[in-house]
Amino acid sequence: MKLSTLLSKLFPPLHGWPLIGALVGVLVLCVFLFFALHALPPRARKMVIAGATFLAGLFFALEWFWPAGADGTNPLTFAVPTVGNVANVLTAFTLGLGVMSLIRIHGNNVARQKAGWENSVVLLAGMVVMAVSGLFFEKTIFFRSLFRDVLNSFDAAMFATLAFYIISAAYRAFRIKSVEATLMMIAALVVMLGMIPIGQALTSFIPERGSFLSLLRVDNISNWMLTILNAAAQRAINFGLGVGALAIALRVWLSLERGAYFESSAE
Amino acid sequence: MNPQGWSTTPGIWIGAIGTLALFSLLYRENRVYRLFEHLFIGLAAGYLIKATWSETLKPQWWDPMVGGQWPWMFALGVGLMFYTIYSRKYNWMSRVAIGILLGFAAGQIFQQTANEYLPQIRTSFKPLIVHQADIKAASQVTAFGQSLSNFVFVLVILCVLSYFFFSFEQKNKVVQASSRTGRLMMMFAFGAMFGATVMARMALLIDRVWFLMHDWLRIG
Amino acid sequence: MNRLHWTQTIDRRILYLVLLALVVIGLLVPIPLPLVVGPQARALYNAVQQAPEDKLALVCTNWSASTQGENRPQTEVILRHLMHRHIRFALMAFDQQSTNLARELAEELAPQYGYVYGRDWINWGYRADVNGTLKGIVLSIPDTFKTDSQNRIPLTDLAKLPVMQGVHNTKDLSIIVEISPSGVYKAWIQFVVGSTPAKFGYGPTSVMAPELYNYIDAGQMVGMMFGIKGAAEYERLLIQDGTLKKPGFTTRAIAPVSLSLVLLFVLIGLGNYGMYATRNGRKQEKGS
Amino acid sequence: MDHASNSWPTAFIVILWSLIIIGAVRMAQAGRRFYIRRIAGLNAIDEAVGRATEMGRPILMVPGIGDIGVIVMQALSIFSYIAKTAAQFGNRILLPTGGGTGPAIYTVADEVMRESYAAAGRPEAYDPDSVMFISDRQFAFAAGVSGMIYREKVAASFLFGEFYAEALIFAEAGQMVGAIQVAGTTQTTQIPFLIASCDYTIIGDEYYAASAYISREPTLLGSLAGQDIAKAIIWLLVFVGAIGVTYYSATGGQAAMKAFFLNQWLTPH
């Protein structure tokens, strides 16, 4: 029997009262499991955490390593979207923690009338107005304008400050102080020259193609730097990052990790 | 002042004043910035609540569950484990839920590594001597130029990789030279990346200034 | 202290003010800066110019508010060009925000060219799954998108959506242009480009553009617009052929872009000159 | 490729790397000691904390806006070391979290900071308000954190994690208030901006070496040695591959060999 059919037999879809019964039943079971888990000794708790981590990872690992048939799927493939949804839903449940963090800090500010408490009022009011109008009045001009004209404008404004910061960063950093700083500066200047008409005009007397010299056009040099030097350097850096990510993922998955969060035993 | 010349949409007004307020941080931190910073965070949090419900929880959890797929209720059980962090006694249980999230992320690493990095290794096998016959007719690159480019490409990869060896002392002269070259090549690459980003950032500023001038003040 | 010392320590607020002034002036006063139309923009223009009129063009957008500075003008010139040539087009997106932003842009331009929704253009809407969607449209567009996103009318309902006449899969497209700040082009090349006679063009942000030369060189992509500069080059071509009567925002925007880059050159030059001069000065003081 | 069976040679290499790394970790846990070379940027962490103590101003730690996963855990592991030092000297710390999974990261960060203070022997000094969720939205997070940098006049700023365009906003804001800044990110495209604005920037997988370097924990040093061997394999593959392709393209006649080398091996089907 296929795993998917087995699962649908084990957990048949229910409707009406049986559904409500099942939902309540699951909740009661969860509460029971909660206290059962808590009764475990510390060593077993550690194993529960390690086991949950391992099993969650095992699904994706198995699904990938299990040879696929001619149709490009294996017996686990059907569950990939569902497991992806589970991950999404679990992450979504953490939302309350974030909102509680905001409410705690800013609610405190307001309650104790700390300096700048008015700002905290604005923050909380903004949150309520946006959430309520989004959840219940989604089709209104009010919500659309709040989202597009206000929130999006703020996003774009903050993003645009980068134009200023990039100027001051370049002005300060691109000095001929060391070999490294100089190399960075030269590369940046050549690439920027290749982008503006004035820079392109510098070497525009060289024919665009067909001549050996055309490689010396500013735009060609700039392209060469970006596609050869830059691409190769980035690729090598990313190899290291890839291996590093693989290593820490393996350590976390197999509970071999040591350091913050992992070394302490569950009390 | 001609009232018709001004946009009347309150949203655009708040957006425009907020834009100016957020820019004002560039001068110095001030009360108006603070006000709009908090408004921004508040609105973003409100939108997060809305989006979490209508884009994730409702379609992926609530709808299927009330549609008959009752095992989804277990997700709530696991999800509530996160909230044990508020209790000294039970807070270890949040680690089970976090562990599941970390496990999901970690388990996909094999596929990610294979998909992202292995093809890049393969495409790094570039011929160091290119023959004219192998060059596409339309291309303006000469065989010599392509050979040189390929040689530099491979050399840069090897040098930069050698910079990232950590677990032995780099005493050997060849290794030292290679690692140093790798570091310099990286700096060159970083400069190129910096230069390539400038124009995009300027375009964003111009877009915002245009928004202020055109959509808000209706000039230009 | 050396009298050139100031060139090393200009207050950042002055830099910011100068930049802002350059941008405002550059937008207000038309500054005739030379603009070289590069081969990539020209190739994309030619591809749209030569795209068959009896087929549907596809414009895929993935940009949101954060990169609209470059991607919006690119979308605008492409849509204007298509509308001027009376090629019907479809919009699609892999970004939720983008589907609204592109639709609003199309709604803004449509009346100028007498375009009617459902007859001359259509919005297929947004899909999150890139690979699945692209694999899907190669086989069947109506099966993949099912309905249009505006009115939820089935794509097969040709009475209500005559724009979909004769459009079954990617073979029936006249040209594909994606405007995007992200790397979705790889999926297009992997899944779609080989399946259709339609040419594939691109509008990347200038950060991403350098990645694409490879693909243009390999013929997998017909051409591209290099960020805002590319959009301005494209607009220049549209003015030259009479599609556009007067220059739009894009042409205006290119002057402040160039000016701000020149400002950066000047500043880096000043900083280094000051440092060099101060250093030399110090050496002389020691010597004397 | 959706499955390992699309290209077994590819899967083989991934498995080989994994086994080498796990093997090195086990060796380290069994008592074998591994060496680690100097990483300049990381020595600066103590200096930065010291500066903050002198100035009596807070220390900022930002774990980026990436989703919860291994990159964030790595950042928190670095921050845990910083927090321990800060706890000993009585510095205030600030740890804002953001990104799509910001609330989940907030949970973990809160635990890690609490533990770090306890490990430093000063559990009472931990202020739960020092860890906070700001926003899932990239630029709302940027606005909040840069406001914080200016208002609190942070003395030291540590940016470790997955950063995108907002990296430069934080780094320049820190620069403006005169903070000493140490940064590292897995997003290579942001490294140039961090180098331009921060005092010390660690590059590439120095990021993953950081926790081993700081803690000298045998497990992590072992893992690092395993990673080095995996990278050495890449080095060899690229070297041999390039020479091989050159040879076969030079000899011309062996087109079949070339086709195998270039097109079959490692290419998913």
Side-chain angles (χ1 to χ4, degrees):
Chain A
M1 194 179 353
K2 268 193 167 174
L3 195 57
S4 48
T5 34
L6 179 73
L7 279 178
S8 61
K9 285 233 169 90
L10 275 177
F11 305 104
L14 301 172
H15 300 282
W17 285 110
L19 174 64
I20 295 172
L23 294 180
V24 174
V26 170
L27 264 186
V28 172
L29 183 65
C30 283
V31 173
F32 172 77
L33 281 175
F34 182 84
F35 287 105
L37 273 180
H38 194 64
L40 290 174
R43 242 187 88 79
R45 288 179 184 180
K46 258 189 185 173
M47 285 172 66
V48 169
I49 297 169
T53 311
F54 179 74
L55 284 179
L58 185 66
F59 171 77
F60 284 111
L62 259 187
E63 198 278 327
W64 191 69
F65 280 116
W66 197 318
D71 59 346
T73 63
N74 63 37
L76 289 178
T77 308
F78 80 96
V80 169
T82 315
V83 178
N85 285 356
V86 171
N88 277 341
V89 168
L90 286 186
T91 313
F93 279 125
T94 63
L95 164 77
L97 296 163
V99 174
M100 269 149 108
S101 166
L102 285 172
I103 292 180
R104 198 186 69 215
I105 288 177
H106 293 280
N108 254 338
N109 285 350
V110 179
R112 298 194 191 147
Q113 308 258 309
K114 281 191 189 166
W117 64 273
E118 312 87 2
N119 296 318
S120 296
V121 173
V122 170
L123 187 150
L124 296 172
M127 179 160 82
V128 172
V129 169
M130 184 58 121
V132 170
S133 64
L135 287 172
F136 305 108
F137 307 100
E138 201 192 339
K139 301 271 178 232
T140 58
I141 289 285
F142 177 79
F143 172 71
R144 280 180 70 169
S145 176
L146 197 59
F147 178 70
R148 193 191 52 199
D149 299 327
V150 180
L151 193 55
N152 271 350
S153 283
F154 289 4
D155 269 338
M158 209 58 210
F159 203 167
T161 58
L162 279 170
F164 298 102
Y165 288 136
I166 212 169
I167 289 260
S168 51
Y171 169 64
R172 194 166 6 82
F174 291 160
R175 303 268 166 92
I176 308 178
K177 288 178 291 205
S178 61
V179 184
E180 296 186 1
T182 311
L183 276 177
M184 255 186 99
M185 183 186 86
I186 294 173
L189 289 180
V190 173
V191 170
M192 289 191 299
L193 261 184
M195 285 185 179
I196 54 173
I198 303 158
Q200 291 164 348
L202 279 180
T203 51
S204 57
F205 62 91
I206 304 174
E208 224 164 71
R209 47 176 62 217
S211 148
F212 175 69
L213 282 176
S214 55
L215 291 174
L216 292 177
R217 283 171 65 98
V218 167
D219 32 347
N220 285 338
I221 297 178
S222 145
N223 285 350
W224 187 83
M225 278 172 31
L226 284 166
T227 51
I228 305 293
L229 280 182
N230 174 41
Q234 277 208 51
R235 182 171 288 189
I237 296 170
N238 289 344
F239 284 152
L241 285 169
V243 171
L246 176 68
I248 183 172
L250 283 169
R251 298 195 315 254
V252 168
W253 184 42
L254 303 174
S255 293
L256 292 169
E257 180 66 328
R258 299 287 176 274
Y261 198 69
F262 296 98
E263 67 193 338
S264 79
S265 53
E267 297 130 46
Chain B
M1 221 174 288
N2 171 17
Q4 270 91 47
W6 294 73
S7 163
T8 46
T9 317
I12 288 186
W13 271 83
I14 302 175
I17 294 168
T19 301
L20 292 173
L22 292 174
F23 279 1
S24 76
L25 184 69
L26 295 163
Y27 180 67
R28 66 185 166 95
E29 214 270 336
N30 60 76
R31 295 179 67 170
V32 186
Y33 174 80
R34 226 170 292 164
L35 182 76
F36 276 90
E37 170 203 327
H38 282 81
L39 178 63
F40 191 2
I41 294 172
L43 291 176
Y47 190 76
L48 174 64
I49 296 173
K50 184 241 172 232
T52 304
W53 174 253
S54 64
E55 278 157 35
T56 307
L57 285 182
K58 188 172 185 295
Q60 293 181 11
W61 177 68
W62 180 259
D63 285 349
M65 187 170 73
V66 298
Q69 300 176 17
W70 51 273
W72 276 108
M73 195 48 123
F74 282 111
L76 180 68
V78 179
L80 287 178
M81 281 182 160
F82 287 112
Y83 291 80
T84 57
I85 61 154
Y86 294 109
S87 146
R88 270 294 146 76
K89 200 168 154 201
Y90 297 106
N91 78 344
W92 73 273
M93 274 191 214
S94 69
R95 286 170 182 248
V96 178
I98 294 281
I100 293 175
L101 285 187
L102 290 176
F104 280 144
Q108 300 181 50
I109 197 73
F110 301 104
Q111 184 176 8
Q112 285 165 352
T113 308
N115 275 345
E116 197 172 341
Y117 300 107
L118 270 296
Q120 292 189 12
I121 296 181
R122 181 173 52 81
T123 51
S124 304
F125 300 169
K126 291 185 186 288
L128 306 178
I129 302 162
V130 180
H131 303 275
Q132 196 63 47
D134 293 335
I135 300 224
K136 273 189 291 294
S139 179
Q140 56 172 320
V141 192
T142 60
F144 174 73
Q146 192 61 50
S147 306
L148 187 69
S149 294
N150 288 354
F151 181 76
V152 171
F153 192 92
V154 172
L155 187 73
V156 169
I157 288 190
L158 296 180
C159 288
V160 172
L161 258 179
S162 71
Y163 172 81
F164 287 108
F165 288 117
F166 297 107
S167 43
F168 63 93
E169 214 166 343
Q170 305 197 332
K171 273 187 181 156
N172 184 307
K173 279 272 175 336
V174 180
V175 179
Q176 268 179 0
S178 157
S179 153
R180 175 77 185 144
T181 314
R183 185 164 170 94
L184 295 181
M185 286 296 114
M186 280 196 284
M187 290 303 149
F188 207 72
F190 292 147
M193 282 184 230
F194 195 111
T197 314
V198 173
M199 193 163 85
R201 300 296 184 249
M202 292 307 156
L204 291 166
L205 175 63
I206 291 160
D207 174 70
R208 274 306 87 189
V209 173
W210 183 247
F211 164 76
L212 292 176
M213 284 165 50
H214 185 259
D215 294 9
W216 183 44
L217 298 174
R218 303 281 167 98
I219 49 175
Chain C
M1 190 180 282
N2 193 289
R3 69 193 163 81
L4 279 168
H5 189 75
W6 68 269
T7 58
Q8 288 181 73
T9 53
I10 306 173
D11 189 285
R12 55 198 292 146
R13 288 159 220 196
I14 298 175
L15 308 184
Y16 296 163
L17 203 64
V18 174
L19 175 63
L20 193 63
L22 282 181
V23 169
V24 173
I25 294 169
L27 279 172
L28 280 178
V29 186
I31 303 166
L33 284 178
L35 183 68
V36 190
V37 177
Q40 291 87 17
R42 190 176 291 279
L44 179 60
Y45 167 86
N46 287 341
V48 176
Q49 190 67 22
Q50 286 150 17
E53 281 171 40
D54 52 338
K55 287 179 167 181
L56 180 80
L58 174 57
V59 179
C60 178
T61 59
N62 292 319
W63 48 275
S64 56
S66 51
T67 58
Q68 67 179 11
E70 296 199 283
N71 290 141
R72 194 184 141 99
Q74 291 172 338
T75 315
E76 183 179 336
V77 291
I78 288 291
L79 291 185
R80 279 189 187 278
H81 196 185
L82 289 172
M83 289 181 180
H84 182 78
R85 289 203 56 220
H86 297 295
I87 299 178
R88 56 205 161 110
F89 66 87
L91 295 177
M92 64 178 269
F94 293 116
D95 179 294
Q96 208 170 13
Q97 243 194 68
S98 194
T99 192
N100 292 327
L101 291 167
R103 189 202 66 221
E104 279 166 17
L105 180 61
E107 281 170 352
E108 194 183 310
L109 299 175
Q112 301 174 28
Y113 297 87
Y115 262 54
V116 176
Y117 184 82
R119 188 191 72 193
D120 307 304
W121 70 285
I122 182 169
N123 186 6
W124 292 343
Y126 141 84
R127 285 288 179 281
D129 175 18
V130 176
N131 293 0
T133 310
L134 293 184
K135 282 181 199 165
I137 60 171
V138 170
L139 300 172
S140 164
I141 291 168
D143 284 349
T144 307
F145 280 99
K146 308 266 188 326
T147 66
D148 83 315
S149 88
Q150 234 102 316
N151 311 319
R152 303 275 162 213
I153 299 168
L155 293 181
T156 44
D157 187 347
L158 295 179
K160 285 188 183 137
L161 294 174
V163 61
M164 291 297 291
Q165 192 79 48
V167 181
H168 306 291
N169 55 34
T170 46
K171 285 197 181 65
D172 308 311
L173 297 177
S174 77
I175 186 159
I176 304 168
V177 182
E178 164 148 345
I179 291 143
S180 169
S182 61
V184 185
Y185 62 88
K186 283 183 191 150
W188 282 98
I189 289 171
Q190 280 166 10
F191 301 123
V192 180
V193 167
S195 77
T196 166
K199 295 258 176 34
F200 177 55
Y202 222 81
T205 52
S206 50
V207 181
M208 182 185 146
E211 291 174 31
L212 302 183
Y213 286 113
N214 239 334
Y215 299 90
I216 295 173
D217 201 42
Q220 289 159 309
M221 214 177 261
V222 61
M224 68 155 165
M225 291 175 271
F226 194 116
I228 180 96
K229 181 184 77 139
E233 291 169 14
Y234 202 105
E235 195 170 271
R236 171 68 54 92
L237 292 170
L238 291 183
I239 293 168
Q240 279 170 6
D241 77 359
T243 302
L244 268 180
K245 294 289 167 295
K246 60 179 174 49
F249 165 71
T250 315
T251 304
R252 275 175 183 234
I254 200 65
V257 166
S258 300
L259 288 177
S260 57
L261 283 166
V262 172
L263 170 70
L264 199 46
F265 278 97
V266 171
L267 287 175
I268 293 172
L270 269 180
N272 279 299
Y273 178 65
M275 198 177 76
Y276 177 75
T278 324
R279 199 187 280 161
N280 270 2
R282 239 181 255 143
K283 268 184 200 152
Q284 277 166 11
E285 276 162 34
K286 260 188 200 160
S288 64
Chain D
M1 53 192 283
D2 298 331
H3 294 100
S5 51
N6 295 127
S7 164
W8 283 114
T10 300
F12 168 76
I13 291 181
V14 176
I15 295 173
L16 181 68
W17 285 345
S18 305
L19 291 178
I20 289 171
I21 291 166
I22 295 171
V25 166
R26 301 309 299 221
M27 271 166 78
Q29 290 181 338
R32 169 103 196 250
R33 289 288 161 269
F34 290 97
Y35 171 86
I36 184 167
R37 73 161 166 81
R38 213 179 90 86
I39 300 173
L42 295 171
N43 291 338
I45 289 181
D46 289 329
E47 180 195 338
V49 176
R51 259 275 295 282
T53 314
E54 275 167 33
M55 300 169 89
R57 297 195 325 223
I59 295 172
L60 175 77
M61 299 174 260
V62 189
I65 59 167
D67 281 355
I68 189 163
V70 294
I71 297 170
V72 170
M73 297 317 290
Q74 181 67 22
L76 291 177
S77 154
I78 301 170
F79 293 163
S80 142
Y81 171 79
I82 298 169
K84 277 179 208 155
T85 322
Q88 280 159 11
F89 291 109
N91 289 110
R92 253 184 82 207
I93 57 162
L94 294 166
L95 200 162
T97 71
T101 60
I105 298 170
Y106 156 74
T107 344
V108 181
D110 181 61
E111 288 252 311
V112 170
M113 291 297 112
R114 195 184 298 278
E115 267 172 19
S116 309
Y117 271 74
R122 299 203 53 198
E124 79 293 345
Y126 176 66
D127 171 12
D129 281 356
S130 57
V131 180
M132 71 224 88
F133 168 71
I134 301 261
S135 186
D136 68 307
R137 227 175 158 75
Q138 184 182 13
F139 289 103
F141 183 61
V145 175
S146 37
M148 187 186 287
I149 291 173
Y150 280 93
R151 274 194 294 281
E152 305 277 357
K153 298 217 165 22
V154 300
S157 165
F158 298 96
L159 311 173
F160 284 97
E162 218 176 317
F163 286 91
Y164 296 86
E166 74 286 353
L168 183 64
I169 299 183
F170 298 157
E172 281 292 285
Q175 176 79 32
M176 188 105 160
V177 298
I180 178 163
Q181 309 196 81
V182 187
T185 178
T186 52
Q187 288 300 311
T188 310
T189 45
Q190 296 306 323
I191 299 266
F193 307 105
L194 294 175
I195 291 182
S197 296
C198 294
D199 301 276
Y200 299 94
T201 306
I202 58 170
I203 301 168
D205 69 331
E206 287 178 343
Y207 180 77
Y208 289 113
S211 59
Y213 187 79
I214 291 170
S215 66
R216 308 284 158 145
E217 171 72 53
T219 302
L220 304 180
L221 291 175
S223 171
L224 206 55
Q227 286 160 244
D228 268 9
I229 300 175
K231 277 179 279 183
I233 294 176
I234 301 181
W235 198 99
L236 273 177
L237 278 174
V238 172
F239 184 74
V240 174
I243 302 277
V245 168
T246 310
Y247 175 73
Y248 289 119
S249 89
T251 49
Q254 311 201 24
M257 206 49 208
K258 182 186 165 195
F260 172 77
F261 214 77
L262 267 180
N263 303 329
Q264 315 252 288
W265 196 67
L266 287 183
T267 308
H269 49 80

